[in-house]
Amino acid sequence: MEATQEKQPPHNIALLPPPGFIGHFIPFIELAKKLVYRHSCTATLIIIPDDGSPMNPQKAAFLRGLPPTIKTILLPPVSTDDLAENINVEMLVPIRVIRSLPALRETLTFLRDDSSCSQASALVLDLFAPHAIDVAKEFNIPAYIFYVVAANELSFCIDLPKYDELCTSEYNDMPEPIKLPGSLVLNPNDIPDAIKERNSDLHKLGLDLCRRILFADGIMVNSFLELESEAFKDLETRLHDIPPVYAVGPLIRTGAETESDRGSECLNWLNEQPPNSVLFVSFGSGGTLSIEQFHQLALGLEMSEQRFLWVVRRPQENAAGAYLNINNDKGSGSFDEFLPHGFLERTKGRGLVVPSWAPQIQVLRHASTGGFVTHCGWNSILESVVFGVPLIAWPLCFEHKMNAVFLTDGLKAALRVKENEETGIVYRDHIAMIVKGLIQGEEGKQLRIVMSHFQNAASNVLSQNGSSTKALAQVVKKWISGN
């Protein structure tokens, strides 16, 4: 009798998203789904708590409903009581990763030794977690960075140590302007805030992260070739100095979004509006504005006389700090106290204001949505591209200003708000003008044509024979074969 060959268990891919940033967490969920549904792997999401609590409620919501082939392991919280209360979020996140490395090591040991689990065939890390590369090497498994933001930023990150050597004082005083691929020039104000203060602890940490990324076995980027052709060409010329780079995006949210009552309110209201007539205003999972800017935006929307759907969050002076307090609006009722007197009455029927959250995917794909005011987070940009929605770029912090340069000067897919040079405020007259131009003007029509082109390209790259589909398959093949 011929012996039956024992069936091999599916390959298990361990994924390590960062603590904090929901915008980084979502692409990791979507990558796990791709690995399970399209490549017959299993996936283990290793979750580092955001603070002392067991699980961020917003992250828990994204984990609900995942298939059993995607498992979740929650690492124990680490203490950050010794750190300054106002520590920069971009320092806090990698510090939490570093302090969680012993627990990560224990988790990979458990996956290796427990008979009920499959040993990890690869470890996929966030760009804020390259310190975990050394742990992966201890277990002789490949470590891949999942770069969940733009390929343009990856090029900038790779070049940052070089810029640091050229710069003798501050980046404002560099002899040559900093450029992104495609000859896009970065204004000094467009450089991420985290690295502007040279010789600061934050700057040194940023340099360290950029250098450590290059020790990965590969880098997957949540973008696609047609969207960032110049950036990927630039990265391809560096292959003798950097790990192989794979364009595997756009990986955006899939499946139904939860908070049904507010979601129904938004969608029912949109159903009553004409096609391409509504401006969607939302600043991401944690983005918010100062009180003065909040008022100017409200008055600008009113002056524009255009329809709008505005996701409102409590005003806060520190835009970056708001990203670690994204639940501070939960359960809050009316936002009347933060809005100009009479604003809701004067814009009733033409505008809808919702607190904290809206079903962004459903809003962007809706036929009534004609534009999107965005903070230029990469997830929001990709979602706009997938649904062909033209943009008003209103960058807040982190790499958002670099993304705004790429959107406006590179893709020609967005209008950018202009801040007053003295106050840093975008005033109501300018807001009204740019909103009207996007929804009713000739510039808005041109942006829709551009976004329609990239929408078609995004659909093609994710098809069965598309470039992003093939790139991810190539990576998985390497993991499975052990090469």
Side-chain angles (χ1 to χ4, degrees):
M1 177 182 281
E2 188 174 324
T4 57
Q5 188 173 0
E6 185 177 350
K7 186 177 180 181
Q8 293 295 316
H11 285 265
N12 182 25
I13 310 303
L15 301 104
L16 186 70
F21 304 123
I22 290 292
H24 288 224
F25 190 76
I26 292 168
F28 271 84
I29 297 286
E30 298 306 321
L31 176 60
K33 291 178 183 177
K34 287 276 187 186
L35 295 172
V36 165
Y37 292 134
R38 185 161 281 193
H39 297 284
S40 300
C41 296
T42 61
T44 301
L45 287 161
I46 303 173
I47 310 297
I48 299 173
D50 296 350
D51 49 37
S53 60
M55 174 66 82
N56 176 312
Q58 194 171 5
K59 287 185 177 179
F62 282 110
L63 294 172
R64 284 195 290 269
L66 291 178
T69 43
I70 300 178
K71 300 186 184 303
T72 300
I73 295 178
L74 182 64
L75 300 186
V78 294
S79 174
T80 54
D81 293 343
D82 59 312
L83 304 177
E85 189 173 337
N86 62 344
I87 185 172
N88 186 292
V89 61
E90 289 167 291
M91 279 199 75
L92 182 59
V93 169
I95 287 173
R96 282 184 174 150
V97 171
I98 292 168
R99 294 184 179 186
S100 297
L101 293 182
L104 172 64
R105 190 174 287 108
E106 290 179 10
T107 298
L108 293 178
T109 301
F110 167 75
L111 293 177
R112 181 189 64 192
D113 297 342
D114 193 287
S115 59
S116 65
C117 302
S118 297
Q119 177 175 340
S121 297
L123 179 63
V124 180
L125 313 163
D126 184 73
L127 61 94
F128 279 100
H131 291 83
I133 292 173
D134 292 339
V135 178
K137 292 185 184 303
E138 292 174 23
F139 288 82
N140 199 30
I141 58 176
Y144 275 61
I145 298 290
F146 185 26
Y147 211 83
V148 299
V149 291
N152 267 295
E153 198 205 340
L154 175 57
S155 287
F156 176 80
C157 175
I158 292 169
D159 283 335
L160 185 59
K162 178 186 73 176
Y163 294 138
D164 201 61
E165 290 177 4
L166 292 173
C167 187
T168 55
S169 54
E170 299 298 329
Y171 284 114
N172 293 17
D173 303 322
M174 287 190 66
E176 296 290 334
I178 292 178
K179 293 182 179 180
L180 297 177
S183 300
L184 298 179
V185 177
L186 282 185
N187 185 300
N189 289 330
D190 294 323
I191 297 170
D193 296 334
I195 63 165
K196 279 184 181 177
E197 293 185 35
R198 294 189 70 246
N199 300 319
S200 67
D201 289 340
L202 182 57
H203 179 79
K204 293 172 185 175
L205 180 60
L207 280 172
D208 181 52
L209 294 179
C210 290
R211 292 186 177 111
R212 285 179 180 272
I213 282 172
L214 300 184
F215 291 102
D217 295 290
I219 303 173
M220 297 181 291
V221 184
N222 193 17
S223 186
F224 58 99
L225 298 178
E226 288 79 355
L227 187 69
E228 296 192 86
S229 56
E230 295 296 334
F232 283 110
K233 286 178 186 174
D234 172 69
L235 292 167
E236 191 174 357
T237 65
R238 305 168 181 247
L239 285 182
H240 58 289
D241 295 321
I242 68 173
V245 176
Y246 305 89
V248 300
L251 297 180
I252 67 168
R253 279 175 286 188
T254 56
E257 296 174 79
T258 49
E259 304 184 31
S260 57
D261 291 343
R262 245 182 288 163
S264 297
E265 179 189 10
C266 295
L267 299 177
N268 289 338
W269 184 82
L270 283 172
N271 289 339
E272 298 172 357
Q273 312 308 317
N276 296 320
S277 67
V278 175
L279 182 74
F280 180 47
V281 184
S282 179
F283 294 94
S285 59
T288 187
L289 305 170
S290 68
I291 292 176
E292 170 63 16
Q293 185 61 82
F294 192 91
H295 275 251
Q296 291 296 325
L297 173 55
L299 295 171
L301 291 173
E302 182 179 350
M303 288 177 62
S304 75
E305 299 182 335
Q306 304 305 304
R307 293 175 174 84
F308 63 88
L309 170 58
W310 183 10
V311 181
V312 172
R313 293 189 179 87
R314 291 181 182 277
Q316 185 168 323
E317 298 300 319
N318 182 355
Y323 280 84
L324 284 190
N325 296 292
I326 56 177
N327 295 308
N328 64 357
D329 288 341
K330 296 297 181 183
S332 59
S334 172
F335 277 72
D336 291 12
E337 59 184 297
F338 305 114
L339 291 165
H341 180 70
F343 171 78
L344 292 176
E345 291 76 16
R346 294 191 301 271
T347 59
K348 188 175 182 179
R350 180 167 59 81
L352 178 64
V353 173
V354 295
S356 306
W357 179 89
Q360 182 159 304
I361 293 294
Q362 286 94 324
V363 171
L364 290 175
R365 67 154 56 108
H366 200 284
S368 295
T369 303
F372 181 17
V373 176
T374 175
H375 66 307
C376 299
W378 192 241
N379 283 342
S380 291
I381 290 172
L382 289 181
E383 289 164 4
S384 303
V385 167
V386 168
F387 299 112
V389 180
L391 300 168
I392 291 176
W394 192 319
L396 296 181
C397 52
F398 308 134
E399 82 288 353
H400 300 163
K401 292 180 180 180
M402 288 177 56
N403 289 342
V405 172
F406 171 60
L407 282 172
T408 55
D409 299 346
L411 293 186
K412 313 291 185 186
L415 305 175
R416 183 171 179 177
V417 298
K418 293 181 180 177
E419 299 175 347
N420 180 281
E421 291 184 4
E422 293 182 3
T423 64
I425 298 292
V426 184
Y427 285 104
R428 66 187 79 174
D429 292 349
H430 175 66
I431 293 169
M433 177 191 70
I434 203 169
V435 167
K436 195 166 185 176
L438 183 74
I439 298 298
Q440 289 193 344
E442 188 61 34
E443 54 266 68
K445 293 178 184 177
Q446 293 302 315
L447 296 183
R448 284 187 192 89
I449 293 171
V450 171
M451 288 300 267
S452 177
H453 165 76
F454 288 117
Q455 180 183 19
N456 291 332
S459 177
N460 290 336
V461 300
L462 293 176
S463 65
Q464 186 172 354
N465 294 312
S467 59
S468 293
T469 300
K470 290 180 177 178
L472 183 56
Q474 185 180 356
V475 172
V476 173
K477 185 178 180 181
K478 285 190 171 187
W479 292 341
I480 291 175
S481 66
N483 294 329

